[in-house]
Amino acid sequence: MIHSLIKNSFILLVVFLVSLTFALIYAFYEIKLDADKLIDYNPPTSSLILDSKGRMITYLVAKNEEDNRSEHRIYAKYDEIPGDMVEALVAIEDTQFFEHKGINPSAIMRAMLTNFKSGTKKEGGSTLTQQLIKNELLTSEKSYTRKIREMILAMKIENALSKEEILERYLNKIYFGKNYYGVKTAAMGYFNKNLDELTLKECAMLAGMPKAPSQLDPTKHYDKTLDRANTVLNRMKEIKWITQEEYLEAVKETPKVYADSITHNNSPYVSDEVVKRLQKEFPNIKSGGYTIYTTIDLTQQHIAEEALRYAYDNALRSTGENRRTTTLNGAIIAIDNATGDIKALVGGVDYEKSQFNRATMMVRQPGSAFKPFIYQTALDIGYNPATQLTDVARTFQYYENGKLVTWKPKNYEGDYLGFVNMREALVHSRNLATINLVTEIGLQRVLDKLALLKVAHVPQDMSISLGNLGLSPMDMAHMYTIFASGGDMKEPRLISKVVARKGNVIWESPSNLVVNFTTPQQAYLMTSMLQDVISRGTGTKGVVAGIELAGKTGTTNEGVDAWFCGYSPTTELIVWMGRDNNKPISRKATGGSISGPAFSYFFKHLYQKYPNMQRRFVRPQGVWGDGSLIYTNTSPLPIQPILPEPTEQNITDDNDSVTEDGVVLEEPTEQNGNEETPAQEDTQASVNEETPAQDEGSGGM
């Protein structure tokens, strides 16, 4: 009996010891895993987006996974933290920090005695190391079990990290109110200062805040924050870390504090596009502490935003609408001609009302703003700006679902000039001359050239003549680099590089993808023609005194889309305006009248800010002639024949348009004297273009 009892007791003892061993091993590894989080400290840190000159666009702030609250942290290395800040914190929170090994027995005994007398757990006797562990690894529960675990972890952390490393982690972890985490964030947020610019009083204010960050928010409770700071200063004086004179001077100081959030976004459409482009490669883009350098110039960005609002207000006055109820909106993109770098990107009039980025995400028909690519194709096969085109009515017939459909395109003005040279046809955006040009050089030849643009869903029929395809403002900006840069199509670049928190470059933008579309000489012929569009054609609303500008307007059927696409010798600008519901702006709306004011506003103010920018286009070698009669080896001046009086031609296109299956197009109707072309299934009916209004002082629409 006794033998059996001893045997059973022995078995129970073995089981207990084995269980205890496993429990201790588990606890050891649990504590080790917890400690590793602080040893290899990598807290969520806000990423910073900068413009090309190093100016802040915004911070990208991560959300706390537990409560979905923004956690704005700008990480500071220990060497960045001023000595006054360290001494103020240690003086008020843990005077013996540099002497103890993670726990302070005398402080613990004092806290236990206080708690015993009060019958509550008022004090914890925690060191800064223990506070860091509680904030980062444990709950705020006041229990002796948590306290023991906290002390074990504190000793382990003290053995693994230096005092400076512990303070660095503490001062980056601690919460200072207003979603400011870390002392560097708080210094910038409350005082608009870098850490090395803080005064002793400001350091004391920050050191006193972690005790009750909401109650000691200086933007709400300034006097209470000052009282707490003076308590910190008094403690520093008591332990002789500051002199009486330093104390008195600091006590008298009343620092200026700022209530504005430092997470204000200077260009939200830009930051959204940056995140969109980097999210896949950097899933932690908002919490990785990256510094993202963009090509944006905030000066140009703000001018572009003002330009869009200016044109927007003009348009609302003309339509009799107000900002609250209108569906009118717009987008602007500015690009550096030499590099292809995006200098401004505005995706809408008011980001607060709509975060949809019309500059990059919206697809609309470009209308006659697409015509320069047709004309450039003709120039590159030997046509000259002085080459005569036929501006006469034509009738096209094709089969749609087995039914014969007739298309009779017409000019915006409803008239025919008979013969008109290429320059005048483009300057006044003559639709029939453009259609006849495509017929003359061959639709397939045009399509082959346009294939270099890498545009999706190009219609394989004559409607391409009038811009019957869907493009975003960014697509147009990409394509217009051909003319602005002198023949090469350059991929617009928004982000130049990404730098990790440690300062190493981890991503750099690849070189701009360049497609050689034409030569500098041939591109200059187009620039010459587009200059006339602005100086005396449909784009006179874009004129800016003292600056040579080239561009093309575009207006889709019934005034749904209003484009103004062009460039100066240094900068390309794409302006789009229209309604978010895809309805007409107004009966009289044109690219020139609606978007032209934004174009001229931008360039006027751009050259005021940068007066040394190049103002005149440079003619490349290999272009000869004077005035409008210029030529190249590829495009010689034409020998003008005696031309017969043209008559209306009734032509059936037997090549690409007339097929049994037909082209999926809608039969156009006549409205308000506007020309219409067949619309593709997924795009709006074809485009119209404007001519100068002779009764307006500007000479154009």
Side-chain angles (χ1 to χ4, degrees):
M1 180 72 178
I2 294 174
H3 178 73
S4 175
L5 184 61
I6 293 172
K7 181 179 179 182
N8 289 336
S9 298
F10 177 76
I11 292 172
L12 288 173
L13 178 62
V14 170
V15 171
F16 172 75
L17 290 174
V18 170
S19 300
L20 180 61
T21 301
F22 277 108
L24 289 172
I25 292 171
Y26 176 76
F28 174 80
Y29 278 106
E30 280 289 294
I31 289 174
K32 180 179 183 302
L33 288 173
D34 284 342
D36 287 345
K37 293 178 184 177
L38 275 177
I39 294 169
D40 303 319
Y41 190 52
N42 187 29
T45 304
S46 300
S47 293
L48 174 62
I49 301 179
L50 300 174
D51 83 340
S52 59
K53 298 180 180 179
R55 294 173 292 188
M56 186 188 82
I57 293 177
T58 193
Y59 280 100
L60 300 176
V61 181
K63 297 283 188 180
N64 187 295
E65 294 182 359
E66 295 180 2
D67 56 13
N68 201 37
R69 186 174 62 179
S70 296
E71 190 168 311
H72 184 29
R73 177 181 289 105
I74 308 170
Y75 198 88
K77 292 286 188 181
Y78 182 79
D79 292 343
E80 298 178 61
I81 302 169
D84 285 345
M85 184 70 236
V86 173
E87 291 181 350
L89 176 69
V90 172
I92 197 65
E93 292 290 344
D94 185 3
T95 307
Q96 294 179 304
F97 174 74
F98 287 100
E99 285 78 44
H100 63 63
K101 295 295 182 181
I103 58 174
N104 187 339
S106 60
I108 293 173
M109 292 300 296
R110 185 170 59 251
M112 290 178 65
L113 184 61
T114 300
N115 292 341
F116 178 76
K117 287 180 179 180
S118 65
T120 62
K121 299 184 180 68
K122 286 185 177 181
E123 294 189 20
S126 295
T127 64
L128 282 173
T129 309
Q130 289 174 276
Q131 290 181 41
L132 173 62
I133 289 165
K134 181 180 71 174
N135 281 298
E136 181 66 23
L137 304 177
L138 304 176
T139 67
S140 58
E141 174 195 6
K142 292 183 178 180
S143 69
Y144 293 114
T145 302
R146 182 192 63 76
K147 201 70 179 176
I148 292 170
R149 184 179 178 85
E150 182 184 286
M151 289 189 291
I152 295 171
L153 278 167
M155 290 185 288
K156 187 171 183 62
I157 293 298
E158 289 271 351
N159 285 328
L161 299 174
S162 68
K163 292 290 186 179
E164 291 77 13
E165 289 172 327
I166 292 170
L167 281 172
E168 178 182 316
R169 285 155 175 75
Y170 182 93
L171 284 169
N172 279 290
K173 172 62 184 178
I174 207 69
Y175 180 56
F176 287 88
K178 290 177 73 73
N179 293 331
Y180 296 159
Y181 287 80
V183 68
K184 187 173 183 178
T185 320
M188 293 184 66
Y190 290 122
F191 304 118
N192 196 23
K193 289 183 177 182
N194 293 316
L195 286 171
D196 60 359
E197 299 172 317
L198 294 176
T199 65
L200 173 60
K201 183 60 169 284
E202 290 164 345
C203 288
M205 290 172 71
L206 293 176
M209 287 181 62
K211 180 180 181 181
S214 297
Q215 297 176 27
L216 295 172
D217 179 346
T219 64
K220 297 178 180 178
H221 311 288
Y222 188 71
D223 290 340
K224 289 177 68 174
T225 310
L226 290 183
D227 289 343
R228 173 66 175 167
N230 291 338
T231 300
V232 174
L233 292 168
N234 187 60
R235 176 61 179 162
M236 294 177 74
K237 184 192 69 170
E238 285 179 354
I239 58 180
K240 302 189 185 311
W241 285 2
I242 59 173
T243 65
Q244 178 72 10
E245 292 74 19
E246 290 172 324
Y247 168 75
L248 292 175
E249 183 179 350
V251 166
K252 289 187 293 183
E253 185 185 348
T254 54
K256 181 179 180 180
V257 296
Y258 295 83
D260 294 339
S261 172
I262 58 173
T263 57
H264 172 72
N265 196 328
N266 286 308
S267 302
Y269 288 111
V270 171
S271 59
D272 283 358
E273 186 64 18
V274 167
V275 171
K276 178 183 173 183
R277 295 190 181 199
L278 291 176
Q279 187 84 58
K280 186 175 181 180
E281 189 155 357
F282 301 98
N284 65 336
I285 189 65
K286 292 185 178 182
S287 61
Y290 303 109
T291 301
I292 303 160
Y293 291 84
T294 70
T295 61
I296 293 293
D297 173 3
L298 275 177
T299 302
Q300 295 192 44
Q301 177 70 22
H302 293 151
I303 293 172
E305 291 167 353
E306 292 168 3
L308 185 59
R309 285 193 293 269
Y310 174 74
Y312 174 75
D313 289 339
N314 280 350
L316 291 184
R317 281 193 292 271
S318 70
T319 61
E321 299 175 83
N322 62 68
R323 288 190 173 200
R324 189 173 59 84
T325 59
T326 185
T327 57
L328 188 67
N329 224 302
I332 288 183
I333 300 172
I335 291 181
D336 182 88
N337 293 350
T339 63
D341 288 349
I342 299 171
K343 292 301 176 184
L345 185 140
V346 186
V349 173
D350 186 348
Y351 184 83
E352 293 298 320
K353 288 179 64 176
S354 172
Q355 290 78 53
F356 180 72
N357 192 333
R358 293 155 191 83
T360 61
M361 302 168 69
M362 177 203 68
V363 174
R364 293 291 183 94
Q365 289 186 19
S368 292
F370 190 77
K371 285 178 181 175
F373 302 100
I374 304 294
Y375 282 69
Q376 188 68 58
T377 302
L379 291 173
D380 290 347
I381 62 172
Y383 281 67
N384 182 278
T387 300
Q388 292 289 321
L389 305 179
T390 54
D391 185 47
V392 296
R394 303 192 66 158
T395 299
F396 293 87
Q397 292 182 326
Y398 58 93
Y399 285 100
E400 180 181 352
N401 300 324
K403 183 180 178 181
L404 185 65
V405 178
T406 300
W407 172 41
K408 294 183 178 181
K410 57 184 65 177
N411 288 320
Y412 180 84
E413 306 85 343
D415 64 353
Y416 316 109
L417 297 181
F419 290 102
V420 60
N421 66 41
M422 277 184 61
R423 181 182 294 273
E424 296 306 308
L426 188 59
V427 166
H428 299 292
S429 204
R430 305 293 292 184
N431 294 322
L432 292 172
T434 306
I435 293 169
N436 290 330
L437 173 63
V438 172
T439 303
E440 190 174 303
I441 64 179
L443 175 62
Q444 192 55 51
R445 177 177 274 178
V446 172
L447 294 174
D448 289 345
K449 184 72 170 180
L450 295 182
L452 294 174
L453 300 176
K454 305 295 185 183
V455 175
H457 311 301
V458 174
Q460 304 295 298
D461 57 67
M462 292 297 294
S463 66
I464 190 63
S465 309
L466 304 178
N468 182 35
L469 73 166
L471 296 169
S472 70
M474 185 62 75
D475 292 331
M476 291 294 282
H478 185 191
M479 292 159 55
Y480 262 75
T481 60
I482 292 170
F483 312 125
S485 70
D488 291 333
M489 186 169 70
K490 298 178 179 179
E491 185 79 29
R493 188 175 69 142
L494 177 62
I495 305 164
S496 55
K497 64 180 177 179
V498 178
V499 178
R501 200 176 77 190
K502 294 181 179 179
N504 55 308
V505 178
I506 55 175
W507 184 89
E508 284 190 273
S509 173
S511 300
N512 294 61
L513 180 63
V514 175
V515 175
N516 180 253
F517 192 85
T518 189
T519 66
Q521 292 76 20
Q522 296 303 107
Y524 184 80
L525 296 181
M526 177 56 64
T527 293
S528 171
M529 296 164 72
L530 295 179
Q531 281 183 262
D532 282 352
V533 171
I534 290 182
S535 66
R536 58 184 181 82
T538 61
T540 54
K541 290 288 187 182
V543 169
V544 178
I547 307 167
E548 290 187 346
L549 297 169
K552 185 69 186 77
T553 56
T555 311
T556 57
N557 195 42
E558 298 183 21
V560 171
D561 300 288
W563 295 83
F564 205 119
C565 308
Y567 50 97
S568 73
T570 63
T571 306
E572 175 198 331
L573 191 72
I574 304 297
V575 183
W576 170 87
M577 293 193 72
R579 296 193 183 278
D580 286 338
N581 60 9
N582 214 28
K583 299 293 184 181
I585 300 170
S586 68
R587 282 187 60 189
K588 296 182 179 180
T590 65
S593 64
I594 298 295
S595 295
F599 188 88
S600 59
Y601 184 102
F602 177 86
F603 280 110
K604 177 182 176 182
H605 290 81
L606 175 67
Y607 279 82
Q608 287 176 352
K609 290 288 187 180
Y610 298 105
N612 294 325
M613 272 188 168
Q614 183 181 335
R615 293 170 178 261
R616 299 194 177 280
F617 293 105
V618 176
R619 179 192 289 196
Q621 291 185 345
V623 179
W624 301 279
D626 295 310
S628 61
L629 296 177
I630 59 175
Y631 60 97
T632 65
N633 283 333
T634 302
S635 299
L637 286 171
I639 299 174
Q640 302 293 348
I642 299 175
L643 299 171
E645 186 68 26
T647 58
E648 181 173 344
Q649 302 174 48
N650 294 307
I651 298 174
T652 299
D653 187 339
D654 293 320
N655 297 321
D656 297 317
S657 298
V658 181
T659 63
E660 189 60 34
D661 295 330
V663 183
V664 183
L665 303 170
E666 294 179 1
E667 183 177 0
T669 59
E670 296 183 13
Q671 290 189 3
N672 304 322
N674 296 338
E675 53 86 357
E676 294 186 330
T677 64
Q680 293 296 329
E681 184 176 7
D682 294 325
T683 58
Q684 186 185 345
S686 73
V687 293
N688 306 308
E689 187 50 4
E690 62 275 21
T691 100
Q694 300 304 318
D695 58 343
E696 293 190 10
S698 66
M701 300 170 70

